[in-house]
Amino acid sequence: MSLGDEGQTRTRLPDSGGDVYGGARRGGRTPSRGLVTVVGVVVLLIAAIAFANRGGDDSPSTSSVNDPKTSATSATGKTPVKTKAAGIPTGYAHDQQGAQSAAANYAVALGSADMFNKVRRDAILQTVISPSRVAHFVSSLDKAYTPQFNKNVGLTEDGTAPAGSTFVSRTSPIGTKVTAATDSHATVEVWCSGLLGVAGENSTNPVTNSWFTTTMQLEWTGGDWKIVTQTQKEGPAPVPGDEKASGADDMAKAVEEYGGFTYAR
């Protein structure tokens, strides 16, 4: 994917016909400054998560004879929860579907713009992280979300968007699957699409799209599913389309007008 100026095509289609997945060559292009910055941000975010998870290897194993079975990818599941804490859905079913719903909603929260604000970030962590791990996550992420980190994503050092611009950080789950489960623990993978950047006429960090998979180890504690550890990796990413990138005003308006969702399996 390329980050051309407004009005340019965001991607380049394969130079020749045929199945792209079969090895057709794709046209190359020198990455723009915005793309290089965003790649750096993604690396920093993954590093922050890894840093937060150090020392978490002593968490109980999630493997058992109750290994999950592969299921079709059609939309199925139970009604979304009706309670919230810090604006995040809570009170999930004590089963694999409940664990998947929790992981999907927690991915949304952890990928939101609120994570760049200390007060709101702490409220999110108190809601989605297992009580035994909250202090560790808070301390570790405080070291990761620094003034320099804010500058890297196009914010001011205090984590606010520059005047006349809108900061965008939003995660949308595409699907979930359980890879291990017991009565009290579950490992859930969430395939996500994400938006990150600053929408503004003078922005050097335009809003870009990414694809990644986050893996959460959850435990049943206090009557709900909570995160023990979380890791993230790139992809799977689809072949980009050839739609034109929207202007800063359209992007900012869309983010402000279109709200997020409560997810359920």
Side-chain angles (χ1 to χ4, degrees):
M1 179 176 69
S2 62
L3 298 174
D5 295 333
E6 179 181 352
Q8 290 184 335
T9 301
R10 289 172 51 198
T11 61
R12 295 187 65 179
L13 296 176
D15 291 343
S16 60
D19 185 359
V20 174
Y21 295 102
R25 185 174 68 86
R26 297 180 63 188
R29 182 171 181 176
T30 302
S32 68
R33 176 183 176 186
L35 178 57
V36 173
T37 301
V38 169
V39 170
V41 168
V42 171
V43 171
L44 283 173
L45 283 172
I46 294 176
I49 293 172
F51 186 83
N53 284 328
R54 290 197 304 181
D57 293 336
D58 56 349
S59 59
S61 171
T62 59
S63 61
S64 79
V65 294
N66 297 319
D67 289 336
K69 297 180 180 180
T70 302
S71 59
T73 57
S74 59
T76 59
K78 301 179 179 180
T79 303
V81 296
K82 298 181 179 180
T83 58
K84 288 187 176 183
I88 304 168
T90 57
Y92 299 95
H94 189 185
D95 55 23
Q96 290 187 25
Q97 287 194 12
Q100 291 180 77
S101 295
N105 283 302
Y106 294 168
V108 173
L110 293 172
S112 70
D114 285 343
M115 289 293 288
F116 291 80
N117 176 282
K118 166 64 176 174
V119 174
R120 293 196 289 270
R121 180 171 68 249
D122 285 353
I124 290 173
L125 297 178
Q126 290 286 342
T127 301
V128 308
I129 304 298
S130 178
S132 64
R133 296 282 288 162
V134 169
H136 181 73
F137 268 79
V138 169
S139 175
S140 298
L141 292 181
D142 281 350
K143 296 175 182 177
Y145 285 87
T146 63
Q148 183 59 49
F149 180 73
N150 289 335
K151 291 177 63 177
N152 287 343
V153 298
L155 300 173
T156 61
E157 290 190 356
D158 64 2
T160 59
S165 63
T166 300
F167 177 58
V168 182
S169 182
R170 184 177 291 193
T171 293
S172 298
I174 305 300
T176 62
K177 71 174 180 179
V178 175
T179 58
T182 68
D183 185 61
S184 59
H185 292 84
T187 299
V188 182
E189 294 183 3
V190 187
W191 181 31
C192 303
S193 176
L195 298 176
L196 181 67
V198 175
E201 291 299 331
N202 298 318
S203 173
T204 58
N205 298 76
V207 179
T208 58
N209 175 245
S210 63
W211 292 85
F212 56 93
T213 299
T214 181
T215 300
M216 299 181 188
Q217 289 189 348
L218 306 173
E219 70 174 0
W220 184 259
T221 177
D224 212 350
W225 291 107
K226 301 294 182 181
I227 298 172
V228 177
T229 65
Q230 180 194 19
T231 57
Q232 182 175 307
K233 64 181 181 181
E234 295 182 355
V239 177
D242 61 352
E243 67 273 18
K244 295 182 179 180
S246 298
D249 289 343
D250 287 341
M251 182 59 67
K253 183 178 180 181
V255 171
E256 292 168 355
E257 293 183 352
Y258 291 91
F261 296 98
T262 295
Y263 290 84
R265 180 70 176 88

